[in-house]
């Protein structure tokens, strides 16, 4: 038996342990956010005008202020999604302080997203999952330098995504396609085992239903493929605008580094709280909005305004430095755009475009492919999140068209752009 086989065999149970720990942590974060968002919306609806406004604005300002202050004061690497930081760790550009990162990411994310910031739970669970990989490595006294620790960090990252979405295959694909950008047997096996373990834990603690319930029972007809391709092209441009907008937002908020982080977060929360008073479901993670898109409950004339609101709120929420991911914003914005295009196509030709809700999923996948530039992860993620394999062909069409447009415009993928902005390669910096 070769040394490689022995190391791989010994890594298997360690990866499963990482998945179990990451699954518990991700489930706790998911359940906490679900409760916080439900409580916030319920309180706004339950009170009269002036008090409801005070609740919405007060929660957003206090949550944003405290969340941004925690991040800047104790763990600056927890700002935003945290995925660029994990990429920097895997590349050897940054260290991972898991004892500080996990609690700060958990509570700063809960304060900001629970208060209404238009961010997602997925980035935080990925970063915290990676941190659990290192925590398990330290607990087991794994020797640095042999690649085992990095393999477990990567496995924990995928486990965090798997637990956030009930999507184990997507977690594996994310590790291989986005985090590492290459396939190696050790990374694949560790990520696979960790993602499956985390998914089992998440399903036990949070339920086994798909994240989105898509009312599709028959395969979409081939007649929707031209519109799916056109939608992919349109969302390719939207993805580029989204990426550039995020970077511009970070640059703009970067001008206020000398201002108290609590003040920066509170002012961003003021904007979000005002919007949240009028549309409580538009702020926060946005999953209720995506669900309504899938079920066709949103009137056609509201879709452009809701799309613009989520787009701008995401830029404000992420740019100020709050802890939260961009997975959920991408999915919500893509769903709104997809339903709008699907409704237009259905009104023009009901016979060719019989089902509109499917375009919400196509929009999610297409915008993900354009912004993150990880089309395989996006395709698998959409199938796992909806439990519908029937959408595969139009989903492939939309994602690949969006990917092609984004590549043609020479805009870097969002996580690569964020990586180079926050954690540049020392070698390149020295040469410059």
């Amino acid at each position: 038996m070769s040394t490689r086989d022995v190391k791989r065999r010994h890594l298997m149970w360690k990866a499963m342990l990482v998945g179990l720990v990451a699954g518990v942590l991700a489930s706790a974060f998911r359940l906490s956010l679900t409760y916080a968002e439900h409580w916030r919306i319920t309180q706004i609806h339950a009170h009269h005008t002036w008090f409801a406004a005070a609740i919405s604005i007060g929660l957003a300002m206090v949550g944003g202020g405290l969340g941004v202050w925690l991040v800047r004061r104790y763990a600056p690497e927890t700002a935003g999604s945290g995925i660029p930081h994990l990429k920097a760790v895997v590349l050897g550009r940054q260290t991972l302080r898991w004892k500080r990162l996990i609690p700060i990411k958990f509570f700063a994310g809960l304060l900001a997203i629970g208060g209404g910031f238009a961010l997602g739970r997925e980035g935080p669970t990925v970063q915290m999952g990676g941190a659990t990989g290192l925590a398990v490595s330290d607990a087991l006294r794994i020797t640095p330098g042999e690649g085992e620790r990095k393999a477990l960090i990567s496995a924990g990252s995928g486990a965090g995504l798997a637990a956030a979405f009930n999507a184990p295959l997507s977690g594996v694909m994310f590790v291989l396609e986005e985090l590492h950008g290459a396939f190696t047997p050790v990374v694949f096996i560790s990520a696979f085992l960790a993602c499956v373990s985390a998914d089992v834990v998440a399903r036990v603690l949070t339920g086994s239903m798909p994240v989105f319930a898509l009312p599709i029972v028959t395969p979409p007809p081939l007649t929707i493929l031209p519109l799916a391709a056109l939608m992919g092209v349109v969302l390719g441009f939207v993805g580029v605008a989204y990426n550039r907008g995020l970077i511009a937002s970070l640059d703009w908020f970067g001008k206020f580094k000398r201002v108290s982080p609590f003040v920066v977060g509170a002012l961003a929360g003021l904007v979000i709280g005002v919007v949240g008073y009028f549309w409580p479901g538009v702020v926060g993670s946005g999953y209720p909005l995506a669900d309504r898109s899938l079920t066709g409950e949103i009137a056609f004339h509201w879709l452009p305004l809701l799309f613009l609101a989520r787009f701008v709120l995401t830029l404000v929420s992420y740019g100020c430095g709050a802890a939260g991911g961009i997975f959920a914003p991408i999915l919500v914005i893509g769903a709104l755009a997809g339903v709008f295009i699907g409704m237009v196509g259905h009104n023009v030709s009901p016979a060719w475009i019989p089902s509109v809700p499917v375009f919400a999923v196509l929009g999610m996948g297409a915008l993900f492919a354009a912004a993150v530039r990880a089309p395989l992860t996006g395709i698998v993620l959409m199938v796992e999140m909806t439990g519908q394999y029937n959408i595969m062909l139009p989903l492939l069409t939309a994602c690949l068209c969006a990917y092609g447009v984004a590549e043609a415009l020479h805009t870097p993928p969002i996580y690569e752009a964020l990586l180079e902005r926050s954690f540049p390669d020392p070698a390149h910096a020295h040469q410059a």
Side-chain angles (χ1 to χ4, degrees), residues 130-378:
T132 63
L134 183 58
V136 171
S137 298
D138 287 347
L140 298 177
R141 298 182 180 179
I142 295 175
T143 305
E146 296 183 356
E148 198 170 349
R149 292 162 72 90
K150 285 188 177 180
L152 292 179
I153 290 172
S154 301
S157 304
L161 182 62
F165 283 130
N166 288 355
L169 290 179
S170 301
V172 176
M173 290 302 305
F174 178 79
V175 170
L176 299 178
E177 189 178 24
E178 175 60 32
L179 200 59
H180 275 266
F183 177 94
T184 61
V186 170
V187 171
F188 170 74
I189 290 173
S190 58
F192 178 79
L193 293 172
C195 289
V196 171
S197 302
D199 184 53
V200 170
V201 171
R203 289 175 186 269
V204 170
L205 296 177
T206 64
S208 297
M209 294 298 294
V211 175
F212 295 119
L214 182 62
I216 298 176
V217 293
T218 58
L222 294 178
T223 53
I224 76 169
L225 292 183
L227 187 58
L230 176 61
M231 186 191 66
V233 171
V234 172
L235 288 183
F237 287 100
V238 174
V240 170
Y242 182 83
N243 289 3
R244 292 177 178 175
L246 282 179
I247 298 300
S249 178
L250 287 169
D251 291 340
W252 188 81
F253 275 100
K255 299 176 182 178
F256 304 100
K257 288 183 178 180
R258 295 184 179 181
V259 178
S260 165
F262 183 89
V263 172
V264 172
L267 290 177
L270 174 62
V271 175
I272 292 161
V274 171
V275 176
Y277 164 64
F278 292 102
W279 296 313
V282 174
V283 300
S285 67
Y287 281 121
L289 197 60
D291 283 329
R292 293 177 62 196
S293 300
L294 289 166
T295 55
E297 297 178 25
I298 302 177
F300 178 78
H301 62 276
W302 283 110
L303 288 169
L305 183 58
L306 292 175
F307 170 87
L308 182 61
R310 281 296 301 190
F311 197 101
V312 174
L313 288 175
T314 300
L315 300 188
V316 173
S317 300
Y318 196 88
C320 73
I326 56 176
F327 264 79
I330 287 174
L331 299 182
V332 176
I333 293 169
L336 294 170
V339 168
F340 179 81
I341 294 172
M343 283 186 176
V344 172
H346 178 74
N347 291 334
V348 172
S349 178
W352 279 49
I353 314 295
S355 176
V356 172
V358 67
F359 281 88
V361 183
L362 302 186
M364 293 181 191
L367 188 57
F368 183 89
V372 181
R373 223 65 55 81
L376 293 179
T377 301

